[in-house]
Amino acid sequence: MYLRKPSKKKIPELSHRAMAGQAQTVVPTDAELLQAQADLWRHSLYYLTPMALRCAVGLGIPTAIHRLGGAASPTDLMSALSLPTAKLPFLRRLLRLLAASGVFNVDKSTEEGIYCINPLSYLLVDGIPHEVHINHTSFVLTATSTRYIDAAMGLADWFKKDVVTPPFEELHAATLFHESMESLDADFHKMANEALEAHDNFGIPIALREFHDLFKGIQSVTYCCGASGDDAFARALVKAFPHLKCTVLVDPKMFGTKPADGVISYVAGDMFNFVPPAQTVVLMLVLHFLTDEDCVKILAQCRKAIPSRKDGGKVIIGDIVIDYSPGPMLEAHLLMDIAMMTMTKGRQRDENEWREIFKNAGLSDYKLLKKFGARGVFEVYP
């Protein structure tokens, strides 16, 4: 058996004829049409939710609520943020939307309402000394920046062109997270890389607890850095498993910034052409930035770098795996996929699509281990 088929249920499909027939015969009821109009308003104005979130982050509302004990009324926030008195009714409306969107919890036992920090807004609080906490303010500000929004505004025109260059690159003549972006807009480039680090490094301590057994028995690891060149996961891995011999493959341009402390061996190189040999190669949130063809090239190099499965050879991949179960997680996965389509050459993939990449790279089998938030962890074998 080559690669086992995933257990995920297939999405039922209708034939074109059946769909056309339904379109001709199904007439919405009056109630459905009235609801449809409200839904259309909601979808058309959805952009105001991230804009309200951006506003809250810019004002420092999550941090202010946290410093007020984790709960605050709009009047409390007016004073804490030194806002003009005339803005109080507008602040109430902003907070009301953010609470309805799940950014804050609200206690309605008082006339004004008390707004409370919840897990989502906790990620936007500055200065929390906790191993798992990483401030995601830079992620919000990058995702809602005019550079992102302007690229998305051009999607319809982009679809009409016979090009596959991402809209972001076509509009700005620069590549996200690349030195070309730094030359164009150094401040945005810095913020975007901070957002990338928050995205990539969040949850490392949780991952090492959840998947502790995955690294038992491993003697050597090669960790392939992504676009940011960040090696936080590798350092956390060595701290958790001091016996590991860890090599980090890093972009030659970033090689000079890495410490020569003997804890990790750094190798300058390009994972498309060479991956340093080890019992295990680790790729964390690297492949979703790349095309399928580029993923195959990198995994083929990983296959060359590891021993046989019998001798413990494997590739560990942490990345987003689209789960079609209805709910907020599916929406998050699909929004991230469209973000990738708009800003980069990469994409988010379901298990079938990952399986095809593994097969094309010459890998023989895999296991999809338990999901980890929005991500999944694969153990892939040569």
Side-chain angles (χ1 to χ4, degrees):
M1 186 174 179
Y2 193 69
L3 280 169
R4 76 188 192 289
K5 292 182 179 179
S7 58
K8 177 174 63 63
K9 295 180 180 179
K10 292 184 177 179
I11 302 174
E13 297 181 357
L14 293 174
S15 68
H16 294 300
R17 182 176 297 178
M19 292 173 68
Q22 285 189 356
Q24 292 171 2
T25 58
V26 175
V27 177
T29 64
D30 290 349
E32 287 172 334
L33 286 171
L34 291 170
Q35 180 61 49
Q37 186 189 42
D39 290 340
L40 187 61
W41 293 345
R42 180 164 50 87
H43 283 286
S44 299
L45 296 173
Y46 255 150
Y47 72 94
L48 289 172
T49 301
M51 290 300 105
L53 180 59
R54 181 183 178 89
C55 174
V57 165
L59 292 172
I61 290 175
T63 300
I65 294 176
H66 175 72
R67 290 175 178 170
L68 289 168
S73 68
T75 301
D76 296 332
L77 288 169
M78 290 290 294
S79 175
L81 299 171
S82 301
L83 298 178
T85 305
K87 291 298 195 298
L88 177 58
F90 304 105
L91 180 64
R92 287 172 176 156
R93 291 159 68 181
L94 181 77
L95 291 168
R96 182 173 61 184
L97 171 63
L98 291 172
S101 303
V103 177
F104 300 112
N105 291 341
V106 58
D107 177 357
K108 296 183 179 179
S109 60
T110 66
E111 182 178 351
E112 192 175 32
I114 302 296
Y115 292 87
C116 309
I117 295 294
N118 62 15
L120 193 159
S121 44
Y122 181 79
L123 295 178
L124 300 172
V125 173
D126 190 31
I128 294 180
H130 189 277
E131 65 166 357
V132 175
H133 182 271
I134 293 181
N135 192 326
H136 280 61
T137 292
S138 57
F139 184 89
V140 172
L141 295 178
T142 301
T144 59
S145 66
T146 54
R147 293 207 176 274
Y148 266 46
I149 291 170
D150 287 348
M153 288 286 288
L155 273 173
D157 289 336
W158 177 79
F159 268 102
K160 297 173 185 176
K161 299 176 182 177
D162 189 17
V163 298
V164 293
T165 304
F168 184 95
E169 291 187 21
E170 190 175 56
L171 175 65
H172 300 303
T175 301
L176 189 62
F177 309 125
H178 188 264
E179 58 189 16
S180 59
M181 192 70 236
E182 184 176 24
S183 299
L184 178 66
D185 187 338
D187 289 340
F188 173 80
H189 177 72
K190 181 175 182 292
M191 181 175 68
N193 275 280
E194 289 172 355
L196 180 62
E197 288 182 14
H199 174 275
D200 288 359
N201 293 339
F202 176 71
I204 288 175
I206 303 174
L208 290 176
R209 288 195 294 269
E210 289 284 321
F211 299 97
H212 188 271
D213 291 346
L214 188 59
F215 294 94
K216 282 186 176 179
I218 296 175
Q219 300 302 314
S220 62
V221 166
T222 291
Y223 178 78
C224 297
C225 285
S228 67
D230 193 279
D231 59 0
F233 183 87
R235 292 200 160 268
L237 185 62
V238 170
K239 184 177 179 180
F241 300 92
H243 70 280
L244 271 181
K245 178 185 177 183
C246 184
T247 300
V248 171
L249 181 64
V250 65
D251 189 307
K253 295 173 184 175
M254 299 178 182
F255 182 74
T257 66
K258 300 304 178 182
D261 55 12
V263 177
I264 289 174
S265 299
Y266 291 94
V267 174
D270 177 359
M271 68 183 86
F272 287 98
N273 297 312
F274 172 72
V275 172
Q279 189 179 10
T280 299
V281 174
V282 178
L283 295 162
M284 292 295 174
L285 295 169
V286 171
L287 300 180
H288 69 161
F289 284 106
L290 304 172
T291 64
D292 291 352
E293 294 76 15
D294 283 346
C295 289
V296 168
K297 291 176 184 177
I298 289 172
L299 288 174
Q301 293 298 331
C302 293
R303 178 173 55 81
K304 294 177 184 177
I306 58 177
S308 67
R309 182 174 183 177
K310 182 180 69 173
D311 293 327
K314 61 184 175 182
V315 181
I316 296 174
I317 299 170
D319 220 310
I320 291 174
V321 182
I322 296 175
D323 182 349
Y324 291 108
S325 301
M329 189 63 79
L330 174 59
E331 185 177 17
H333 284 161
L334 300 182
L335 285 169
M336 286 290 284
D337 182 52
I338 297 302
M340 286 292 185
M341 181 183 80
T342 306
M343 311 305 166
T344 76
K345 295 177 181 177
R347 58 177 301 183
Q348 311 301 353
R349 300 172 174 94
D350 60 27
E351 188 179 350
N352 271 327
E353 291 162 334
W354 281 113
R355 175 180 178 271
E356 190 67 17
I357 286 173
F358 300 154
K359 176 182 174 182
N360 291 340
L363 296 159
S364 66
D365 200 4
Y366 74 95
K367 292 178 183 175
L368 174 56
L369 307 178
K370 64 181 178 181
K371 299 295 177 64
F372 174 64
R375 309 171 183 92
V377 176
F378 288 101
E379 198 172 44
V380 193
Y381 308 106

